[in-house]
Amino acid sequence: MSGGLVEATSWDEDREVVEVRSPLDGELIDSIVGSGRHEVAAAVAAAHRAQAEWARVPAGDRGAVLARLADAVRDAADELATTEHRETGRPREQARAAVEAAAGTLDEYAALGPVHRGRSLNGEHDATDLMVHEPRGVVAALTPWNEPVAVACGVLGAALVTGNAVVHKPSERAVRTGVLLNRVLAAHLPEGLLGSVAGGPRCGAELVADSTLDVIAHVGSTAAGRSIAAAAAATGAKTLLENGGNDALIVDAGIDPEHAAEQAAVGAFANSGQICTSVERIYVHRDLAEDFLAALVEQARRRVFGAPAADEIPMGPLVAEEHRAEVHRKVRDALDAGATLLAGGVLPDGDGSYYPATVLTDCRPEMEVLREEVLGPVAAVRVVDDFDQALREAAADRHGLAATVLTPDMAHAQRSWRALRVGTVKINEVFGGAPGGAAQPRGASGSGFGFGPELLDEMTATKVVHLVPPVLPGT
Ligand code: NAD
């Protein structure tokens, strides 16, 4: 076993230079020359060569290798978390917890891979009829900056344990974290089995255009997902798209407004609002709107930059200055269109791309803050007259990732999980759920299982085998 990073094979003009600037203080911390066309092609070719051998390794042995990868990630947890903190601004303890979760995911796939089995069918008495899973081949994994280690470990773990090879392109905004993770993992894998390419969308486009890829797994923005799906349509690669969300939160009459505000704040402000399932739109019943909004403003004021007091919650910066500018533009556009600012919404002085927890009310359906993912700490509120209006408006959206409903009414709970065309519906809790849950996003949020045991099905092709005894001469 040896390191699997593909070294530069040639220099050409199609390389991107990725400037890594820390959002904590704006300092330039690195300048990375991205992978060129030849390196991308070399990584894919090396992956194909390594995959043929890896597919023959017994599933139990592949599982054992995955368990070693989990240990390697735990051993490197401090370095990974520190790198992610510096590069994306995510608070170090949160980055560290996400690395632990990533190792846990590798352990899960280490256990699930060997028991991911086919079926025997009931055919003719003399026949053997089977359904078996086979690795698909080479998987291109394109991963985002907002969960760079845990998302990558999920995709890579499921692909590798089922006998595939992977070429991983981490986000340019978490390139140092992604390349470090690839190096940590590749040290325990056969040469070439995990290729690592680095760069921006141009490098990604080069990778997904490779006509020899079998699967493209993209976890990232809806716009990039659409472009990748178009590239895959031209080559025939299977796509798995886990893309952006515009998650609704419905706050029904009869719910405790303080508790609802706590839930809304966790959903909208955790990781500075940069979670795919962040709460993006809040529909609150008129009966409790005033109390809910007052409590939500208080929740926003408790989110602080720097050292928090006892009753405060620390919040990191947004990932990049351009990203902050985009979040702020969406907030300003909403205010220009008639929304009311109750908290935040003002660019703070000083270094770093910090943005305050922001509460907007009087939002209307046509505003971008309700129609599109904002990916910042912005709670956009719309006061509604009744539950029917809340459900109708929450459901009228092109995204389909997740939604939450806070309601004391079981009939409303039942109606809402049926009506919301999303992958995950949460009743009376914004985050949480049993281990192993795997949902399919819909619409603009993508397609295919991106997590859980079902991701093993996505990473394999099912083959039916019908086997009968040969007919020999003279019988
Ligand atoms: P992104 O799509 O810009 O980048 C993700 C990866 O795709 C990067 O490696 C990037 O370089 C590459 N890429 C971008 N454009 C490309 C193109 N045209 N062709 C090929 N590759 C391309 O996403 P991001 O900004 O890094 O991540 C944030 C987004 O990811 C948000 O929308 C968030 O909701 C979403 N996300 C979704 C999930 C989920 O499970 N649904 C999880 C995490 C993040």
Side-chain angles (χ1 to χ4, degrees), residues 142-146 169-172 200-201 204-205 218-221 224 227-228 242-245 276 373 375 401 451:
L142 300 109
T143 56
W145 51 265
N146 65 338
K169 196 200 91 56
S171 165
E172 56 280 17
H218 171 250
V219 186
S221 64
S227 158
I228 287 167
E242 301 297 318
N243 294 156
C276 56
E373 182 179 53
L375 219 63
L401 198 56
F451 308 91

